[in-house]
């Protein structure tokens, strides 16, 4: 799914950017207790991880499963924050809405054995290289090329 972003969003993407979204999912367990979402280094591209849901998988035990996120804060420092404390009998899933983080992001199963599935969207913002002033001029040219509309003759 991709679309053109018309307004400035929470991610800082402006109207001259193209925003593409891709489904994201990873599973955390005692065998694989962490996952790092890291993007390629590119000057014109920004990668974001938008977390939507965290849920216990099939075979989860009757124990607390705490999922922690490590990412950069507004000061550029790494911080770790627990975002979900799941339990099979009372809270098997949590919805995070649109919890958006800039890459790199590490998801970690801080306690419990899982399996815990984290899902959301991988957002890729790229700058458009076309100049908006040029596209306005092209629109003016295309309007001039269209033939004039003649009124229909009335039947008598």
């Amino acid at each position: 799914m991709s679309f053109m972003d018309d307004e400035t969003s929470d991610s800082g993407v402006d109207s001259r950017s193209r925003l593409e979204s891709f489904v994201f999912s990873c599973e955390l367990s005692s065998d694989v207790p962490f996952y790092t979402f890291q993007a390629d280094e590119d000057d014109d591209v920004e990668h974001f991880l938008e977390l939507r849901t965290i849920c216990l998988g099939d075979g989860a035990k009757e124990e607390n499963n705490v999922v922690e996120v490590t990412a950069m804060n507004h000061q550029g420092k790494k911080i770790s924050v627990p975002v979900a404390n799941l339990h099979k009998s009372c809270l098997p899933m949590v919805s995070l809405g649109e919890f958006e983080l800039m890459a790199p992001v590490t998801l970690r199963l801080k306690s419990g054995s899982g399996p815990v599935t984290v899902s959301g969207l991988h957002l890729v913002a790229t700058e458009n290289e076309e100049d908006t002033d040029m596209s306005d001029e092209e629109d003016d040219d295309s309007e001039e090329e269209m033939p004039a509309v003649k009124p229909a003759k009335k039947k008598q």
Side-chain angles (χ1 to χ4, degrees):
M1 175 175 137
S2 69
F3 55 91
M4 295 298 290
D5 192 24
D6 293 332
E7 300 175 4
T8 301
S9 69
D10 295 337
S11 63
V13 176
D14 65 21
S15 62
R16 293 177 306 273
S17 296
R18 176 181 168 92
L19 188 62
E20 296 180 290
S21 60
F22 305 93
V23 174
F24 168 82
S25 179
C26 72
E27 186 176 276
L28 307 174
S29 65
S30 55
D31 295 334
V32 183
F34 69 93
Y35 175 84
T36 300
F37 171 78
Q38 200 154 348
D40 298 331
E41 295 293 323
D42 192 347
D43 292 336
D44 296 338
V45 179
E46 289 183 315
H47 295 266
F48 299 91
L49 182 60
E50 184 177 286
L51 301 178
R52 296 280 179 103
T53 59
I54 302 175
C55 63
L56 289 174
D58 202 24
K61 298 176 184 174
E62 286 287 337
E63 63 185 358
N64 285 344
N65 289 271
V66 177
V67 177
E68 177 183 77
V69 171
T70 302
M72 297 285 191
N73 68 4
H74 69 285
Q75 298 172 331
K77 296 179 182 178
K78 276 190 176 182
I79 59 168
S80 297
V81 178
V83 291
N85 185 352
L86 305 175
H87 196 279
K88 186 178 179 177
S89 61
C90 64
L91 186 63
M93 183 184 106
V94 65
S95 176
L96 298 174
E98 297 174 4
F99 186 51
E100 193 172 298
L101 301 161
M102 185 181 283
V105 177
T106 300
L107 303 161
R108 184 168 76 105
L109 186 58
K110 190 170 181 178
S111 69
S113 56
V116 174
T117 301
V118 180
S119 62
L121 296 175
H122 172 191
L123 303 174
V124 181
T126 55
E127 290 185 28
N128 285 337
E129 296 188 16
E130 59 190 52
D131 187 4
T132 55
D133 293 336
M134 291 295 289
S135 64
D136 289 342
E137 290 175 11
E138 290 171 6
D139 289 343
D140 292 341
D141 292 342
S142 63
E143 289 175 8
E144 292 173 353
E145 294 171 9
M146 293 179 67
V149 177
K150 295 180 182 178
K153 292 183 180 179
K154 293 183 181 178
K155 289 184 179 180
Q156 292 184 3

